[in-house]
Amino acid sequence: QLQLVESGGGSVQPGGSLRLSCTASGSPLDLHAIGWFRQAPGKEREGLICVLSSDHNSRVTDYADSVKGRFTISRDYAKNSVYLQLNSLKPEDTAVYYCAAAWGCSAYGREFDYWGQGTQVTVSS
C-alpha cells in the first residue's frame, strides 16, 4: 500500500520561499503521477501542479494560474520523492498543501487514489 508523507511546511513572510517534500513508502513512486493540491480555510481544494512518471518523461502540467511561474515541481526517483518549490509567496498562498498519487495527472482530486496528511503553509508578515 502506497503511503505519502508531506513535510517542509511552515510560516514565512510574504516574498519568501519554502520547499515541500512528498515522500513515499510501501511502494515505489516511479509509475505514479504526483499532484500537489492545497486547501485554504473555507475554500475548496485546488489542484496546483502535477508531474507524470518517467514513462511519460516526467512531464509537468500546471493547473493553477495563481501559482504559475512561482511554484515548480520536481521528482527524485532515487529518493522516492516529489518536491514542490514555492517562491514569491503571498498571504493568499496560506493553506494546507497535499500531495497525491494517481496513474495520470488531473486537476481534480477525485482522480487521485493516495493522499498524504498535508502540511500547513502560512504566509504572513
Side-chain angles (χ1 to χ4, degrees), residues 3 21 48 55 76 81:
Q3 294 181 323
S21 298
L48 302 176
D55 289 355
D76 186 330
S81 296

Side-chain angles (χ1 to χ4, degrees), residues 1-4 32 99-103 111-116:
Q1 178 84 4
L2 179 64
Q3 294 181 323
L4 303 175
H32 289 84
C99 65
W103 295 114
E111 302 293 331
F112 289 76
D113 302 308
Y114 304 96
W115 290 81

